[in-house]
Amino acid sequence: MNKLTSYTIKEIQKSYADKILTPTSFVDLSLQRAKQTKELNAYVTITEDVAETHGIESEKRFYIYKRPKPLDGVTIGIKDNFCTSNIATTCASEMLRNFVPTYDATVYSRLRRAGACLIGKCNLDEFAMGSGTVDSVFGPTRNPWSYDKDKWRIAGGSSGGSAAAVCSGSVLAAIGSDTGGSTRNPAALCGVVGLKPSYGLVSRYGLIPLVNSMDVPGILARTVDDATKVLNVVAGPDKNDSTTIKRDYEPITLRDIDLSKVRIGIPKEYYCQGMSREVVECWSYVTDLLENEKAIVKSVSLPHTSISLAVYYILNQCEVASNMARYDGIEYGLRANANSSTEELYATSRHRGFNNVVRSRILAGNYFLLTKNYVKYFVKTLKLRRLIVQDFQKVFHKVDGVDLLLTPTTLTDAPLFEDFAQRTNRDQCALQDYCTQPANMAGIPALSIPIQLSRNKMPLSLQLMGPPLSEDLIMNVARKIESLVQFPVLKAV
Amino acid sequence: MKLIKINRPLSYKCMTILARRLSHKTDKQWESVVGLEVHAQLNTESKLFSGAQNTFGGLVNNCVALFDAAIPGTLPVLNRKCVELGIMTALALSCNINEVSTFDRKHYFYADLPSGYQITQQRAPLATDGILSFQVYTPGIHKAPYRKSSKIKQIQLEQDSGKSLHDAELRRSLIDLNRAGAPLMELVFEPDLADGEEAAALVKELVLIVQRLGSCTGRMEEGALRVDANVSLRTPGDPLSTRTEIKNIGSVRGVAGAIRHEIERQRAILNNGGHIINETRAWDAVARVTIPMRDKEVVQDYRYMPEPNLPPLRVNLVTREDQNDIPSVPLIQDKIPELPEESRKNLIENFHLRPETAIQLVNEPILLNHFHDLTSNENRNPTKVANFLINDLLTVLNKKKLDTVHSPITTQQLQELTDLLLNRDINLDISRTVLEELIVISDVNLSPLKLIEEKGWKLTNNEEEVTKLCMAVIADNPKMVQQYKNGKTKVFKALLGKLYKESNNKIDMSIASKIMEGLLKK
């Protein structure tokens, strides 16, 4: 049943209406697929019982009450750093291996309220720190386009499990999180759509934080239309998250857009060292397509792009140091058997609970936050962050700016695991996040969309960025691109 | 660990004694400088950033929201009521309210601090630059009240921590998170005070103010208001010297005692040629000494960072337009009631009370209420009423070890009793006896008049009867009468004493005195 890798929400719901499929039968198929594709390691937990209950509830609403909700019978995966009550939420860390929250993240409760059925909790890099989904305590996630036993490619990260689940057809859509590209990167490498909404549009309540000032729940789906449907359900103000935008959310409707009024900027700084020729070719291919559609395409400059990564890393590590301070083994999480003193209990629990990546970021962050270093590093990076934001504000200027930016999402197609593992997590992130983290620095929306396959038969994707709350335009332009490029469906998994 | 803690105060005591002995040779003038930091719990239904109940004495770990236990993924939501009470207090202390204030994380590891950081307002606090003026007057220490003021550097909102309970025998610690995340306002005062009495007077005044405002219960015994004192000594005219900080003093008299002790300790060290080290000390209220705090020996770097989950707090300084997340400061200003200083002024100017009396009355809000109730009837003399409340009611309550708050005596009863007293139907002694009876019986419906009548305590002011008694005393003491007639008028008092005894304390002595004088002059 390889249709599983191509079904859209619309098609599924039509099948329900036509009784070709029912929510329970589809949930079963999805669960089966999730189990069949175990070697991808997309899931930390497959929530079989929960999924079946959700399926039955949807089925009742479809056929008994005849009042289906917008996402009834839609199978979803949730990255394992979103809290789900009574379901383990591990952050792929030894520290939280046995952590079972008693509450639901807002994103998940909204999806549930809309009728979505949870198939499982998806794998990630420990505490979402990584760009490959290789640093998980549960092992790496493999890319569904290339998962041979010996020579396999990474799924990207840190939401690699979510991307692999969507791509391999065990769910229609998945939730990821995006701090520096963690939703868009795996979406790009697995050939699915990945949306990072504007900061504050989607509630972070229940998302176990990496960098509070940059984290956004992300959406992964196989089509722009599906991603939009999910966004329309999860977006909007939340009293539990004071940083959500207070204004009511206007649901997005997709329409046939006239590109002749859309101005698209190609930022020259994104053409950088290490970008593969194929990616550059893919970028100019779509640029040409858009020009053919009469879009106004011009070259623009974001001069502070090159410093963005360094700034991102300092801020990231400072917030990590702070956010990780709560894991002391007292209230929840791993508690080491160390009794000689409270300090020893903390030190042993934290040493055993966190991997090297997490520990090194904590160390660096605490160094930057020392009173003697605060102005030198933290304050300075905040100033630089402001310059990066201003770059975007200038380029999106209403009169002489552009409406959207088109860039690659990643520098290459999905690397082989053996190549990826050659470099440290830090070096890989520095490479992989180059095109994606500026959007997090500025809090602007960005979307990765698959375009074509590389010579390795791996997906190549591009990224659209827009000013804050320009999701409507981004989704509409993305759908236009989607229809123009006709990205192939993954045939066999 | 426990042994060390017990040993420390002893060794310091020895040092102090030793230093005092040596001090004669090198004694010189030292000026003590005291600055306070006060943590006051805001009197709200729920906590600063969570919906958990903010209460004292709840069942262990029963008032804890997920956020208070730092459960991953939870976020702070600022409680608007805390902002309002903080602003109201700041306004009452003449502070400038900041149009925009922000929150910071202060990091340190402690078992009763679940998130590993406290959310506070370090860089841009709620309010700055205030002043608190107060009267310094401790009967028995000061002859007359004097006015003092201390500038306020800033007032900030912050979270309280949980409580740790250390079981030394079983070598384990127990954590209660009921207090974790409770709302505090921290008031940072400039080092404007000279000694412990001034500090205690400041704290007393602050307690009265927050109680008036309803922003804090002021119950120091519950930890609702806790004081840290910075103490240093210097030669007059010199810049501030190294200070020590006494943490968490839990009573007004504790403030006075701890600072007095700390000044003496520092004076002894300095006179002995020693140096003061910058350290954190605790007040041992039982041993009456300050002792170094072991876990505060290492200087902490708090690694402050802006709290990214809370947008800046904005207030409307100008208009009465109130928005959900932008409270109007003028609207809060409108709600501020009469403050203690105004009450004193009112008592002195309109009721012609002495400043000492006004201070004592205002110090006891319950007595002040009684005072206003009683003097609403203009026939009652305000000074006499005030004296009755302070000298008699308060004395009796103290004797019975009762707080004014827990006094069972009703206004109704006091009205009746003061009228009896002011009409000289009873004297002060009897009124005290009646007060004691009222406390013992604790019946709000009991009428003092009835009680007096039942017990036969009413004074005789029947002149004939009094004259009879006087004549009897004169007849029984011919010697003294003779002395009086010889010009030794001093014995008059002794004769009155005899009369008082003879009459069983049941005659109006002012009438008796007149009659006695008349009889003797015959």
Side-chain angles (χ1 to χ4, degrees), chain A residues 167-185:
Chain A
C167 170
S168 59
S170 54
V171 291
L172 281 160
I175 295 297
S177 62
D178 195 313
T179 308
S182 279
T183 291
R184 289 160 287 157
N185 176 289

Side-chain angles (χ1 to χ4, degrees), chain A residues 75-87:
Chain A
T75 52
I76 53 158
I78 304 273
K79 191 177 182 179
D80 210 20
N81 58 349
F82 284 87
C83 287
T84 43
S85 62
N86 297 317
I87 301 167

Side-chain angles (χ1 to χ4, degrees), chain B residues 304-323:
Chain B
Y304 283 101
M305 190 190 86
E307 166 57 66
N309 293 321
L310 288 165
L313 165 60
R314 286 167 202 283
V315 298
N316 175 359
L317 290 174
V318 187
T319 68
R320 286 184 167 69
E321 191 207 345
D322 201 58
Q323 284 174 39

Side-chain angles (χ1 to χ4, degrees), chain B residues 118-171:
Chain B
Q118 174 199 34
I119 303 179
T120 176
Q121 296 194 294
Q122 191 234 2
R123 291 165 305 144
L126 185 68
T128 45
D129 297 327
I131 192 158
L132 173 55
S133 295
F134 51 96
Q135 302 286 340
V136 187
Y137 178 61
T138 312
I141 292 178
H142 304 106
K143 282 197 181 114
Y146 66 96
R147 220 175 135 77
K148 182 82 190 181
S149 60
S150 180
K151 287 190 283 298
I152 295 164
K153 198 169 155 239
Q154 65 182 59
I155 296 183
Q156 65 205 37
L157 298 175
E158 61 185 36
Q159 298 173 295
D160 210 338
S161 64
K163 282 181 185 166
S164 301
L165 197 73
H166 302 291
D167 185 335
E169 264 170 45
L170 290 173
R171 289 177 31 85

Side-chain angles (χ1 to χ4, degrees), chain B residues 52-71:
Chain B
Q53 202 191 353
N54 175 32
T55 182
F56 177 80
L59 196 63
V60 170
N61 284 321
N62 240 31
C63 306
V64 187
L66 294 175
F67 176 78
D68 306 321
I71 299 297

Side-chain angles (χ1 to χ4, degrees), chain A residues 128-294:
Chain A
M129 296 183 208
S131 54
T133 316
V134 296
D135 288 319
S136 158
V137 75
F138 304 105
T141 294
R142 299 182 183 205
N143 193 311
W145 291 83
S146 167
Y147 56 96
D148 278 359
K149 213 171 183 196
D150 303 321
K151 245 182 155 41
W152 55 275
R153 290 177 188 269
I154 62 159
S158 64
S159 313
S162 301
V166 172
C167 170
S168 59
S170 54
V171 291
L172 281 160
I175 295 297
S177 62
D178 195 313
T179 308
S182 279
T183 291
R184 289 160 287 157
N185 176 289
L189 300 189
C190 293
V192 298
V193 173
L195 170 70
K196 170 222 170 296
S198 303
Y199 185 82
L201 185 66
V202 182
S203 168
R204 292 181 294 116
Y205 181 70
L207 163 60
I208 297 178
L210 174 57
V211 184
N212 303 281
S213 65
M214 298 182 205
D215 290 345
V216 206
I219 296 163
L220 300 105
R222 286 195 289 271
T223 65
V224 173
D225 189 49
D226 286 0
T228 307
K229 284 192 164 76
V230 173
L231 178 68
N232 284 344
V233 162
V234 297
D238 177 13
K239 63 173 174 39
N240 288 324
D241 177 359
S242 308
T243 63
T244 48
I245 296 159
K246 302 281 183 296
R247 205 189 322 151
D248 279 342
Y249 172 74
E250 262 316 305
I252 293 170
T253 41
L254 295 179
R255 56 196 179 270
D256 199 16
I257 190 169
D258 172 12
L259 285 183
S260 71
K261 290 196 181 70
V262 180
R263 301 165 301 172
I264 295 194
I266 310 293
K268 55 180 186 218
E269 288 81 2
Y270 280 65
Y271 177 79
C272 68
Q273 216 187 356
M275 189 175 280
S276 77
R277 243 178 82 181
E278 279 181 302
V279 169
V280 178
E281 282 164 12
C282 174
W283 191 6
S284 43
Y285 162 64
V286 175
T287 311
D288 292 345
L289 274 183
L290 291 171
E291 271 184 327
N292 287 343
E293 291 292 318
K294 309 275 187 309

